[in-house]
Amino acid sequence: MRVASRAQMATESPTLALTAKTNALKKAGEPVIGFGAGEPDFDKPEHIKEAAIQAIRDGFTKYCPTAGTLSLREAIVAKIARDQGLQYQPNQVCVSVGGKHSLHQIFETLLDPGDAVFLPAPYWVSYVDQIRLAGGVPLLLPTTEATGLKVTPAQLAEALELYPFAKALVLNSPSNPTGATYDEAEMAALAAVLEQAPELTIISDEIYEHLIYGGRRHVSIAEQEALRDRVILCNGVSKAYSMTGWRCGWAVGPKPFIEAMVRVQSHDSSGTCSITQAAAEAALRGDQSCVETMRQAFEQRLRVMIDGLNALPGVSCSEPGGAFYAFPNITAHLAPGETASAFADRLLVEAKVAVVPGEGFGAPGNVRLSYAASMADIEEGLARIAEFLK
Ligand code: PMP
Ligand code: GLU
């Protein structure tokens, strides 16, 4: 049987593949330290679990409205008012099976064949495949450490001049894999450029908004009044509440766009699990102190991870503003012709440390280490890497 060219073109998600490989090795008794998985290692609070159990007991186990239950969409609207001070209506929200599913459906709903989408690089692995699967063409905006791995207004202006018909821009602040986080002035400067491109849609993936460090405030591009009606926000409960397996994410944006997305979803998943929706609502409406507890733990681990990496000879790692990833440059340690993938394989076999190679993120000289791991694992993993690099 020959699969469609669309499916042939799709690459396997390297983040999920590495997580599976690490788990299999651990199960086989290998003493592997996993820095691959992009998921919090915390349990979630009791009130979230209780909400799910109660939903089952109440028989809240039938199909829900395709866009998500009204009460969950109201909770999402209230969350955005609380955290961003922005007013939306429940009919501007579509709840899907995780942020990844929301993004996939955003591209499916937005892109015609050949539509170009600006994508700052390094980027999260799934954007490129999702854009391509929807018939679009990713246009990379490469960033360097000199600009903190962020797109500059001049770079964006130049790209818009070269590709005036581009359909959309993906912003991901804080970023996976770099942790780069745009502050208020940087976001305003990008917005000033984007105001000159009134046809461009801005997709803002804010899934790491609560995992932000150094006293920073999360800044959403949707705060820019002049752009609001062409911003699509994407978020979810996976990272903020350690609910990766529950599969709940959402898109928020202009009503006609969201209506179209809900039509697409009505033939796709019919929305996410009813029990998950009850749990997500409890997470959003309940006590938020669990989010801050996790954030503080990640900030402590960040310090140990980043300082440890920068102390290794020939390794440089820029300071992340958010998320839970370190993205060091390891070019100096690559043998002639060696790829980051081959380096990561060697590290796994010889030092039993799992990291994600940078190729899938558009950065072949880097590897990604998630510090959503215990402090003991971070310290032991760094010691093994130091020994390996010798
Ligand atoms: N966006 C980014 C940048 C991510 O790292 C992830 C993590 N998988 C997602 C979206 C989607 O997460 P989920 O599907 O678990 O909501
Ligand atoms: N976003 C996480 C990561 O980048 C989870 C895996 C995935 O969904 O790709 O590792």
Side-chain angles (χ1 to χ4, degrees):
M1 191 195 299
R2 259 194 46 208
V3 302
S5 47
R6 188 186 327 108
Q8 276 173 18
M9 182 177 72
T11 62
E12 185 183 7
S13 164
T15 47
L16 293 183
L18 189 87
T19 305
K21 193 169 172 181
T22 308
N23 290 341
L25 285 169
K26 279 186 182 167
K27 211 169 161 194
E30 296 272 1
V32 174
I33 293 193
F35 292 139
E39 62 180 347
D41 54 329
F42 296 92
D43 194 9
K44 70 203 63 44
E46 286 303 314
H47 69 272
I48 299 178
K49 297 182 198 172
E50 280 306 323
I53 294 163
Q54 198 56 46
I56 298 172
R57 290 216 172 96
D58 291 347
F60 186 65
T61 49
K62 306 286 188 201
Y63 289 130
C64 295
T66 304
T69 64
L70 179 59
S71 56
L72 174 55
R73 284 179 288 131
E74 284 171 345
I76 291 166
V77 165
K79 172 247 167 285
I80 300 174
R82 175 182 71 208
D83 296 340
Q84 276 76 42
L86 301 176
Q87 305 307 319
Y88 286 92
Q89 299 300 319
N91 61 16
Q92 293 181 275
V93 181
C94 177
V95 179
S96 300
V97 189
K100 189 182 274 186
H101 185 223
S102 300
L103 286 160
H104 183 59
Q105 291 195 142
I106 288 170
F107 294 125
E108 286 289 343
T109 306
L110 187 68
L111 301 182
D112 277 316
D115 276 348
V117 181
F118 292 123
L119 185 58
Y123 45 78
W124 176 48
V125 289
S126 289
Y127 297 136
V128 165
D129 278 74
Q130 290 185 339
I131 291 167
R132 290 200 180 124
L133 282 169
V137 181
L139 290 179
L140 302 187
L141 302 176
T143 66
T144 64
E145 282 175 16
T147 64
L149 300 167
K150 293 179 221 180
V151 169
T152 65
Q155 182 184 17
L156 186 58
E158 195 187 345
L160 285 165
E161 209 174 302
L162 274 174
Y163 302 100
F165 300 111
K167 188 79 170 270
L169 162 73
V170 177
L171 281 180
N172 174 216
S173 175
S175 151
N176 176 4
T178 66
T181 302
Y182 292 79
D183 67 20
E184 241 156 285
E186 289 164 335
M187 208 56 110
L190 288 185
V193 175
L194 291 169
E195 276 184 45
Q196 307 307 313
E199 299 300 319
L200 197 80
T201 297
I202 301 137
I203 300 163
S204 184
D205 180 351
E206 305 187 3
I207 199 137
Y208 295 100
E209 74 166 304
H210 293 298
L211 303 178
I212 193 157
Y213 315 115
R216 287 176 177 80
R217 175 181 90 79
H218 168 69
V219 184
S220 171
I221 188 83
E223 290 169 26
Q224 303 291 328
E225 190 73 47
L227 302 180
R228 176 109 28 95
D229 62 359
R230 51 195 172 93
V231 172
I232 304 165
L233 296 173
C234 178
N235 210 325
V237 293
S238 282
K239 316 291 167 167
Y241 304 97
S242 193
M243 291 175 71
T244 47
W246 290 78
R247 313 309 302 135
C248 180
W250 53 83
V252 179
K255 186 164 164 271
F257 179 85
I258 295 297
E259 282 170 353
M261 188 171 158
V262 174
R263 288 199 298 275
V264 171
Q265 175 150 295
S266 75
H267 298 291
D268 173 345
S269 61
S270 306
T272 196
C273 166
S274 59
I275 303 155
T276 288
Q277 295 193 45
E281 188 181 332
L284 292 174
R285 290 197 194 275
D287 179 7
Q288 299 298 302
S289 58
C290 57
V291 181
E292 177 58 14
T293 306
M294 266 200 289
R295 193 202 65 76
Q296 284 178 12
F298 284 133
E299 187 152 20
Q300 284 170 6
R301 298 168 186 188
L302 171 155
R303 211 40 306 126
V304 176
M305 182 63 108
I306 304 300
D307 291 349
L309 287 169
N310 278 321
L312 298 171
V315 174
S316 68
C317 185
S318 57
E319 179 80 17
F324 40 59
Y325 306 106
F327 201 56
N329 187 307
I330 44 97
T331 324
H333 290 282
L334 296 179
E338 190 182 36
T339 61
S341 286
F343 174 90
D345 280 345
R346 261 200 307 131
L347 187 65
L348 184 56
V349 172
E350 291 173 29
K352 305 264 183 278
V353 176
V355 302
V356 190
E359 287 96 333
F361 303 97
N366 294 61
V367 292
R368 191 191 77 175
L369 294 86
S370 159
Y371 47 86
S374 71
M375 199 63 104
D377 272 6
I378 293 173
E379 282 164 356
E380 168 66 14
L382 284 168
R384 288 190 196 177
I385 296 172
E387 194 56 34
F388 170 79
L389 293 181
K390 277 186 196 159

